[in-house]
Amino acid sequence: KKILLSLVIISFTNLSFGQQIEKLDYCNCIEKIEKNSPIYDGKYERICKEKTTDVGSFKNDLPDGEWISYNYKGGLISKINYSEGKLNGLFELYFLNGKVQFSGNFINGKKNGIWKYYNEKGIVIIDGEYEMDKPINLWTIKDKKGKKIVAQYDYTNSKYILNEVDEKFKGSTLLGGALLAYNLFIENAEVPRDFWDTYADLKYLAKFKIEENSSSTFILDEVNEKSSNITITFSSNVQTDPESQLHKIDHSRLSKKLLYYKISEALSILPPWVYKGEKETTIYIPYKVNIR
């Protein structure tokens, strides 16, 4: 019995020393990860005010496997699957009331299968299908109530069936228009809990490459200043609490890495592009938290 007890204690000690724990006092959070140097590796968990907000895993410094986020009530925000940094598997977002907000699928970074976007009542407002990144067949976009069709595009024959959206750009554009895409981005770009009650002023450029079949890919980079070659701007300015409750901190490399993937995820599930001869488009994203 003494030998068995000793083995249990040794095993527990090794587990404790194998896990890195960092306290984020400014937001009453702790982060647990199996390995944080020189790269992130293994299981990750963030706990804020004694409630788990994020769980996932890293492999070779990249998100891997299923990542789950929870809201302050313990309800689901998202379930997103990765394979060594590439979206791979089911991607789901949820409203605060627990209903599904978006559901789609990826295969090794490529969009595939039926995609659906819902309103808070569970009514489908956008739906369509991808075949390995290429939008196919009929895509339909309705108003927020899900009653009226505002845009419908036949990707098989590359033509609109209906389009009541006032497009501002002559070149390749997002189905449903830039305003719809912007609103979806703001709704889906989750602000990580460790950025609440802090100041953040970050800038990103998303450079999209659009093929003639309307498939698209993008590269997201953090930048120091706005580029002159901008087609669309997705300005994100979040205010959390009064200035007296805010903290001036330097966000860690891990915090900024996780934010990068949150922004990338929101861009990855925008509606498909409609190719109109322009193969490159740049979206500028000034990401501000509590910056007036």
Side-chain angles (χ1 to χ4, degrees):
K1 289 184 179 179
K2 288 183 179 180
I3 293 173
L4 179 60
L5 180 60
S6 297
L7 288 173
V8 171
I9 292 173
I10 291 169
S11 297
F12 179 77
T13 303
N14 289 339
L15 179 63
S16 299
F17 279 105
Q19 188 178 58
Q20 308 297 319
I21 298 176
E22 182 177 354
K23 292 184 178 181
L24 308 177
D25 292 330
Y26 62 89
C27 60
N28 196 12
C29 298
I30 61 170
E31 290 184 313
K32 300 179 180 180
I33 189 167
E34 289 183 26
K35 182 180 178 182
N36 63 4
S37 180
I39 61 174
Y40 299 115
D41 208 74
K43 293 182 179 179
Y44 168 83
E45 182 180 14
R46 178 182 289 151
I47 301 170
C48 297
K49 296 181 180 179
E50 300 183 350
K51 291 185 178 180
T52 297
T53 61
D54 301 89
V55 291
S57 296
F58 285 97
K59 185 176 181 180
N60 297 324
D61 218 36
L62 299 169
D64 189 70
E66 186 176 58
W67 280 75
I68 303 176
S69 296
Y70 300 92
N71 61 38
Y72 60 91
K73 290 184 176 181
L76 285 170
I77 294 177
S78 63
K79 282 185 177 181
I80 301 170
N81 287 275
Y82 278 94
S83 178
E84 294 191 57
K86 291 184 178 181
L87 291 167
N88 189 48
L90 186 63
F91 187 127
E92 285 188 328
L93 301 179
Y94 299 84
F95 288 109
L96 192 60
N97 63 10
K99 291 185 179 293
V100 175
Q101 182 177 358
F102 167 81
S103 179
N105 194 69
F106 288 83
I107 296 178
N108 199 28
K110 295 182 180 295
K111 310 174 188 76
N112 197 69
I114 302 294
W115 281 33
K116 291 186 178 183
Y117 307 68
Y118 303 82
N119 64 17
E120 290 187 89
K121 292 185 178 180
I123 298 172
V124 176
I125 56 173
I126 304 175
D127 70 301
E129 186 176 1
Y130 283 103
E131 186 179 79
M132 298 305 284
D133 254 357
K134 180 178 72 173
I136 61 173
N137 301 327
L138 191 65
W139 275 75
T140 301
I141 296 180
K142 298 179 181 179
D143 61 16
K144 290 184 178 180
K145 293 182 179 180
K147 294 182 177 181
K148 180 183 178 181
I149 296 175
V150 296
Q152 202 166 42
Y153 193 83
D154 178 1
Y155 281 96
T156 301
N157 297 299
S158 301
K159 66 177 184 178
Y160 278 102
I161 306 300
L162 173 70
N163 187 25
E164 296 186 358
V165 179
D166 182 18
E167 296 289 356
K168 295 182 179 180
F169 307 104
K170 294 181 180 180
S172 300
T173 187
L174 288 152
L175 182 62
L179 181 58
L180 170 66
Y182 170 72
N183 289 334
L184 287 172
F185 174 79
I186 294 300
E187 289 175 9
N188 298 334
E190 176 192 346
V191 180
R193 187 65 187 85
D194 56 325
F195 276 81
W196 290 23
D197 303 335
T198 71
Y199 298 94
D201 189 2
L202 303 169
K203 302 174 182 68
Y204 299 88
L205 284 181
K207 297 179 181 179
F208 279 82
K209 184 178 180 181
I210 306 151
E211 304 296 338
E212 292 184 14
N213 63 8
S214 292
S215 65
S216 65
T217 56
F218 69 88
I219 296 174
L220 180 66
D221 291 312
E222 184 181 350
V223 295
N224 293 323
E225 58 184 21
K226 182 178 180 179
S227 169
S228 58
N229 186 27
I230 301 298
T231 307
I232 306 172
T233 297
F234 283 180
S235 180
S236 176
N237 196 334
V238 180
Q239 302 294 135
T240 57
D241 285 318
E243 190 172 355
S244 60
Q245 299 180 32
L246 302 179
H247 304 271
K248 291 184 178 180
I249 64 153
D250 292 324
H251 290 284
S252 69
R253 184 173 80 89
L254 179 56
S255 289
K256 294 177 77 172
K257 176 184 279 287
L258 292 176
L259 175 63
Y260 171 92
Y261 280 102
K262 294 291 185 187
I263 293 172
S264 181
E265 289 162 4
L267 290 170
S268 296
I269 60 170
L270 293 178
W273 290 84
V274 175
Y275 176 76
K276 294 182 181 178
E278 187 180 31
K279 291 193 173 183
E280 293 184 356
T281 296
T282 300
I283 298 178
Y284 174 57
I285 306 166
Y287 190 91
K288 298 183 179 183
V289 180
N290 296 310
I291 302 290
R292 298 183 186 278

